[in-house]
Amino acid sequence: MFSFIICLLVLIAGYFVYGKFVEKIFAPDNRPTPAVAKADGVDYVVLPNWKVFMIQFLNIAGTGPIFGAIMGAKFGPSCYLWIVFGCIFAGAVHDYLSGMLSIRHDGASLPTLVGKYLGEKARSFTLIFTVLLMIMVGTVFVYSPAEILKGIYGTTMFWVVVVFVYYIIATMLPIDKLIGKIYPLFAISLLFMAFALMIVLFVKMPHIPELWDGLDNRAYAADPSWTQDIFPCLFITVACGAISGFHATQSPLMARCVKSEMMGRKVFYGAMITEGIVALIWAAVSSYFFYGEPSPGYELLQADGFQTSAPRVVDIICKEWLGMVGGILALIGVVAAPITSGDTAFRSARLIISEALHVEQKSLHKRLLICGPLFASAIAMLVWQIDNPNGFNVIWQYFGWSNQTLSVITLWTLTVYMATKKKPYIITLVPALFMTMVCASFLLVSKQTIGLPHTLGYILGFSVTLTAAICFYIWLKKNRKEQVEQ
């Protein structure tokens, strides 16, 4: 528990110290924001600051900091360090700068920002890559809530239809009509659940693995069938709560609703730190679930062992620790949270496509023009997922790697922006290099993808990272020379 307390304090300090440092580097001012200058009553709408924060938190969180942290806790205390340092120095910087850059570019979506700083080819690739990722997110978060809700009433297909109809409505309506009203309530419930569990943790003060007990892979020691290595698997498994490329698709949604740039640190950096705190709480709770002394406290482990699923862990812990209220919160966590991630994924896809095609979105029929093919693609993927017994797992595995790859693209975009503006680009360059190494290595060594021998895969992953660094410094030298000549 002492490791948890230390990490919690470091996360909070990170917001006030490093967050303030990053804000000073970007230098927000009082220029009109897109929500004011381009108000259209649909996507560009000024919302109260507290609502913007809550919606941003729920947009980027969903079940990510819960399920990811539970799976990450299987690796042991090393999960704590990744959540803390990944969140402060990578994830929160990634979210803050991508959100603020969107504000500075009239609420532009990620592919537009990539195109401006990395070139047209990068923009085209990111456009296709991001839309496919959004469709995957939306599809995954249709089926999984439906599977849970069928246990309460109806069939899976009934709930698939209900959730999908909700997605269509939420994607089409102005942001303040539905999302602006119910999202803050769901965000509050997720935060209440997390902090209630933290209070129980302090009451119980369980004996769980500490950082000084070693950062080795406890998962393998507990279950020899576990084949995932800490590097790079931990850094793919725990995305929300540390760093997630999906966030760069969501920050522009709130960049269109912020009244003042001065709110940027609270909304973007602050929401990410809050998500990190939620992930840290769930990592500690899950560490007790898997490794608590004198023994894990739940009989289910004797039946399902170390492979107990993340949703099942949420259900057991909430009901055991928080009673009837916990059961309700668990239902919200595993049903409402993924649904709210799915609808904003589709909304983000609509805005990205409309921006690329230069189709205004104030008119309802123009929104329908974009949403028709978008939802048709999602339905096709959903049908495949339902027909394929392993469809959910396949889509989720590719989502995990694609999500972190998108963070790599975003970090390199931010690094080029920082260098262009002659700001200290080191704050984004280091995370960009690290995540490049993570994603390249995972693609090469994971059995889900290429499956090369680890030593060869790591060498090639390092080579990819080194090549990226060399290319950046060649560009930087050329750019500085051109600036001098001008």
Side-chain angles (χ1 to χ4, degrees):
M1 278 293 291
F2 291 106
S3 296
F4 166 74
I5 295 170
I6 293 170
C7 289
L8 179 64
L9 294 175
V10 171
L11 261 179
I12 295 171
Y15 169 77
F16 292 102
V17 179
Y18 198 69
K20 189 69 176 178
F21 172 71
V22 174
E23 179 186 49
K24 185 176 181 180
I25 288 175
F26 185 84
D29 55 37
N30 292 317
R31 72 184 69 188
T33 63
V36 176
K38 298 183 65 177
D40 64 359
V42 179
D43 299 304
Y44 292 83
V45 179
V46 174
L47 294 177
N49 293 335
W50 73 272
K51 278 193 174 184
V52 175
F53 172 84
M54 286 296 183
I55 296 171
Q56 172 70 6
F57 167 70
L58 193 63
N59 281 358
I60 66 174
T63 56
I66 300 175
F67 290 176
I70 290 171
M71 293 184 286
K74 296 180 180 182
F75 289 97
S78 54
C79 175
Y80 292 170
L81 294 183
W82 171 230
I83 290 173
V84 172
F85 294 112
C87 186
I88 293 173
F89 297 107
V93 175
H94 169 282
D95 289 12
Y96 174 75
L97 291 178
S98 61
M100 296 303 291
L101 204 57
S102 178
I103 291 176
R104 287 284 173 90
H105 291 80
D106 296 326
S109 298
L110 179 62
T112 299
L113 298 176
V114 171
K116 181 172 180 60
Y117 294 102
L118 298 186
E120 184 60 28
K121 291 182 179 179
R123 185 197 72 83
S124 299
F125 172 80
T126 305
L127 174 64
I128 297 171
F129 190 86
T130 303
V131 171
L132 287 175
L133 180 63
M134 296 300 99
I135 293 174
M136 278 195 287
V137 172
T139 302
V140 165
F141 290 148
V142 169
Y143 191 68
S144 55
E147 277 288 284
I148 296 169
L149 288 169
K150 75 174 183 180
I152 301 174
Y153 171 81
T155 64
T156 300
M157 191 53 63
F158 169 79
W159 285 110
V160 163
V161 173
V162 170
V163 173
F164 214 89
V165 169
Y166 165 78
Y167 279 176
I168 295 173
I169 295 171
T171 304
M172 298 289 293
L173 283 178
I175 196 165
D176 59 330
K177 300 304 181 186
L178 183 60
I179 291 175
K181 287 182 169 58
I182 66 172
Y183 269 41
L185 299 177
F186 288 139
I188 290 170
S189 68
L190 278 180
L191 289 172
F192 178 82
M193 174 171 59
F195 286 104
L197 290 174
M198 183 173 67
I199 291 172
V200 177
L201 267 178
F202 284 124
V203 171
K204 288 180 175 290
M205 287 298 288
H207 294 287
I208 55 179
E210 303 282 6
L211 292 170
W212 41 88
D213 292 332
L215 301 178
D216 54 310
N217 192 343
R218 286 179 173 265
Y220 179 78
D223 184 354
S225 67
W226 183 271
T227 58
Q228 296 184 345
D229 295 315
I230 286 181
F231 187 90
C233 295
L234 171 61
F235 307 97
I236 297 291
T237 301
V238 183
C240 294
I243 181 171
S244 169
F246 177 70
H247 297 186
T249 69
Q250 301 304 294
S251 291
L253 297 181
M254 289 301 98
R256 299 179 175 102
C257 299
V258 175
K259 186 176 182 179
S260 169
E261 283 193 358
M262 305 308 293
M263 281 300 300
R265 180 166 69 97
K266 296 181 178 67
V267 171
F268 301 117
Y269 201 100
M272 184 61 213
I273 292 294
T274 304
E275 184 183 64
I277 291 173
V278 172
L280 188 67
I281 292 169
W282 274 102
V285 170
S286 304
S287 186
Y288 172 63
F289 186 90
F290 294 116
Y291 302 113
E293 295 179 4
S295 63
Y298 300 99
E299 294 180 359
L300 180 69
L301 276 180
Q302 298 173 9
D304 290 356
F306 195 66
Q307 301 298 331
T308 307
S309 69
R312 188 71 178 121
V313 172
V314 173
D315 186 57
I316 294 171
I317 290 175
C318 285
K319 288 179 179 178
E320 288 275 347
W321 287 17
L322 304 180
M324 183 179 69
V325 174
I328 296 172
L329 291 174
L331 185 64
I332 292 174
V334 297
V335 174
I339 289 175
T340 55
S341 293
D343 66 18
T344 52
F346 282 123
R347 189 180 192 90
S348 179
R350 170 174 69 80
L351 292 169
I352 289 170
I353 295 170
S354 65
E355 194 171 292
L357 298 178
H358 305 289
V359 178
E360 59 87 12
Q361 293 294 280
K362 189 172 182 178
S363 306
L364 179 61
H365 74 279
K366 294 291 182 66
R367 279 175 262 159
L368 284 170
L369 182 66
I370 300 297
C371 288
L374 182 65
F375 283 115
S377 301
I379 290 172
M381 186 178 290
L382 183 62
V383 169
W384 175 86
Q385 176 184 311
I386 294 173
D387 288 342
N388 188 331
N390 199 40
F392 177 88
N393 290 332
V394 171
I395 294 176
W396 187 261
Q397 288 167 2
Y398 282 101
F399 164 71
W401 177 79
S402 300
N403 179 44
Q404 294 302 61
T405 299
L406 193 61
S407 76
V408 172
I409 296 171
T410 304
L411 285 168
W412 281 112
T413 300
L414 297 174
T415 301
V416 170
Y417 162 77
M418 298 289 280
T420 301
K421 298 298 182 180
K422 295 183 178 180
K423 296 178 182 290
Y425 56 82
I426 192 71
I427 66 172
T428 53
L429 176 62
V430 172
L433 290 171
F434 179 76
M435 291 307 299
T436 299
M437 180 67 183
V438 166
C439 291
S441 299
F442 185 83
L443 177 65
L444 292 165
V445 306
S446 174
K447 292 181 179 179
Q448 301 168 5
T449 51
I450 299 175
L452 293 177
H454 281 50
T455 301
L456 176 60
Y458 292 149
I459 291 173
L460 292 176
F462 177 77
S463 300
V464 170
T465 306
L466 182 61
T467 301
I470 292 172
C471 289
F472 170 71
Y473 279 107
I474 290 174
W475 168 84
L476 182 62
K477 185 177 180 180
K478 180 181 178 181
N479 180 263
R480 292 285 165 84
K481 182 179 179 181
E482 289 175 354
Q483 288 181 342
V484 171
E485 291 176 351
Q486 293 175 357

